Amino acid sequence: LGLAVLPAFAADPLPSWNDGESKSAIVDFVTAVSTEGGPDFVAPADRIATFDNDGTLWAEQPMYVQLAFVLDRIKVLAPEHPDWQGTEPFKSALAGDMAGVAASGEAGLLQLLAATHSGMTSVEFTQIVSDWVAKAKHPETGKLYTAMIYQPMLELIRYLKANDFDVFIVSGGGIEFMRPWTEQVYGIPPQNVVGSTIETTFEMRDGGPVLLRGEHVSFIDDGPGKPVGIQTHIGKHPIAAFGNSDGDLQMLQWVTSGPGKRFGGIVHHDDEKREYAYDRKSHFGKLDKALDLAPSQGWQVFSIKQDWKSVHPQ
Amino acid sequence: LGLAVLPAFAADPLPSWNDGESKSAIVDFVTAVSTEGGPDFVAPADRIATFDNDGTLWAEQPMYVQLAFVLDRIKVLAPEHPDWQGTEPFKSALAGDMAGVAASGEAGLLQLLAATHSGMTSVEFTQIVSDWVAKAKHPETGKLYTAMIYQPMLELIRYLKANDFDVFIVSGGGIEFMRPWTEQVYGIPPQNVVGSTIETTFEMRDGGPVLLRGEHVSFIDDGPGKPVGIQTHIGKHPIAAFGNSDGDLQMLQWVTSGPGKRFGGIVHHDDEKREYAYDRKSHFGKLDKALDLAPSQGWQVFSIKQDWKSVHPQ
Ligand SMILES: [Ca+2]
Ligand SMILES: [Ca+2]
């Protein structure tokens, strides 16, 4: 009876992955770098892995989750801003007119970002995000966004951590938009989350010190920004990186360069039945150059259709 | 015989601290937050402690170690820059004329910084710092700078880590100047080092990708910047902070605010025999406002003269 609760010997650490090249490549890599005395052994302190978030750990269609947050937030704040009814990009955002929002360009997006992400303290923003993420639902599945995470990738994170990897998120998304929930959802604590930041200033108030969120975007953790974010926050050269779009190209190049065994993985959204199928022409998560480079660079492309037994947690 | 190798029960975790108010305050705090079921218990994941570096973990007199590095480096690079012989601030730096360097103001210091910290890759800079720190000697003691660390603070770091604290350095110094040696010297790995940064860019070269260090200082992790650096890198509210100057004032305010038991500690350099005595009028590590505020804020002032049995490792 007692034996039944013992973990099975060599139990499958990746049960939601189908047998195949992707799964084998992951297991071979992890085994190689963690086999003491082996030719590819890497000391635990140097086993650093980085994961993109949108489209790699959770769904990014029909739009980035953080953009859904922005649009919801604009609606909540609209009563305090009657002028928004007649002013772009707020007018289009309130009407749910995405083409109108897009027409306002980057300047318009920055206005929406400032209106929803700035002017409050860090503690207040964390509360706003926590409240939203606890209730907001995906428009097509009706599930919580935190249920729209990818079960196979969750298993991959756990497998790496079980083999003494220090696992980081390195995302183009806002760092403080992710931190309130990444520990509970992925098991990745705030200090292991790297993302885009806005200028924040320290202020002494009557009630005590606060960190005030400003409007200026101080760092964009995307594309060539990802290796820079890795260096600033981690200060080590990771040996494994996982992404899903050209925004991860430089991270993949950086992480898979250098001596020793390294792993680059790309989640390819090719399953229109169970999830979404998009790559070279997508507005969100465009995957083009990195897909072309994958074979020559030895990056493993994970096909959702073929490699994943299930997509989201059941 | 076998029993002799067992650790003694309640062995002193801080042997280089004299019995007294400072040592008691530390032990009481650590015991309180780590006693499960107690009124002041803090979950291990929230036990975050931050340490200033210069003057808190190692000596900062007669000048900041990083400034000694700059001056040494200017001498090494001088043969490639014959014009420096007649141009300030390089002329004064080469002559060891600190008043002359100071006369060039902040603009001059930034020129020296740019000449010594920029224009190379992150890997090259790490090598330069590693080579220097392995050999450079303190001008007065003749010891390696890494031997000029404070043994009591090293014991404090170990004591906190043994009680499941996650320990970070939060220093005004350059983040990449510290990372090459903090793990070996303090047991604090690169990802737990927060410091000032210069703009770094990703570049694809023939030999592979590099991170190129630019001249623009992108973040100053000092004074009001320290709570911001804490938020950006850690994303949690620490419960203990240790510093030695007014550059730590806002970190102490931030960390010791909020609910629950918190600890603020200030190293007071008051031992002219065994180390240095300086505070309100010092060029390096000026301690004035924070010293005035310590009693009302409940910050513990550590007197090197009275509280430390020994100063540096023997
Ligand atoms: Ca992505
Ligand atoms: Ca200091």
Side-chain angles (χ1 to χ4, degrees), chain A residues 122 166 168 175-176 179 183 190-191 197 200-202 204 209-211 224 227-228 231-236 250 253-254 257, chain B residues 122 166 168 175-176 179 183 190-191 197 200-202 204 209-211 224 227-228 231-236 250 253-254 257:
Chain A
S122 57
D166 201 2
F168 290 79
I175 193 166
E176 302 301 350
R179 282 170 161 167
E183 181 145 31
Q191 62 266 44
T197 56
T200 302
T201 48
F202 177 84
M204 275 305 278
V210 297
L211 292 174
V228 175
Q231 182 66 21
T232 306
H233 285 257
I234 310 175
K236 287 178 173 176
Q250 290 86 355
Q253 289 173 320
W254 175 244
S257 72
Chain B
S122 57
D166 202 2
F168 290 79
I175 194 165
E176 302 302 350
R179 281 171 163 167
E183 182 145 31
Q191 62 265 46
T197 55
T200 301
T201 48
F202 177 85
M204 273 309 276
V210 297
L211 293 174
V228 175
Q231 182 65 24
T232 307
H233 285 257
I234 311 175
K236 287 178 173 176
Q250 290 86 354
Q253 289 174 320
W254 175 244
S257 73

Side-chain angles (χ1 to χ4, degrees), chain A residues 31 57 126 142 145 172 196 206 232 239 258 260 265 267 272 283 306:
Chain A
T31 304
L57 297 181
T126 294
Y145 286 109
S196 297
D206 286 347
T232 306
I239 61 168
V267 175
E272 73 289 354
H283 284 296
Q306 293 173 37

Side-chain angles (χ1 to χ4, degrees), chain A residues 126-147:
Chain A
T126 294
Q127 192 60 53
I128 290 166
V129 172
S130 299
D131 291 346
W132 183 83
V133 96
K135 288 181 189 167
K137 304 266 173 67
H138 189 272
E140 293 169 3
T141 66
K143 290 182 183 177
L144 288 175
Y145 286 109
T146 49

Side-chain angles (χ1 to χ4, degrees), chain A residues 52-56 60 64 171-172 222 226 243-245 247-248 278 285:
Chain A
D52 168 60
N53 184 40
D54 298 308
T56 298
E60 64 185 349
Y64 293 134
S171 166
D222 199 29
K226 288 203 177 192
N244 79 302
S245 81
D248 302 307
Y278 62 96

Side-chain angles (χ1 to χ4, degrees), chain B residues 262-282:
Chain B
R262 283 151 193 284
F263 196 97
I266 297 174
V267 175
H268 189 197
H269 295 267
D270 59 357
D271 191 333
E272 73 288 355
K273 283 199 182 158
R274 296 187 301 169
E275 208 237 355
Y276 298 95
Y278 61 96
D279 46 33
R280 297 182 193 275
K281 288 174 182 170
S282 180

Side-chain angles (χ1 to χ4, degrees), chain A residues 25-58:
Chain A
I26 293 170
V27 173
D28 288 352
F29 169 75
V30 173
T31 304
V33 298
S34 53
T35 299
E36 213 157 340
D40 299 313
F41 179 71
V42 174
D46 295 320
R47 289 182 212 157
I48 310 279
T50 54
F51 285 80
D52 168 60
N53 184 40
D54 298 308
T56 298
L57 297 181
W58 75 353

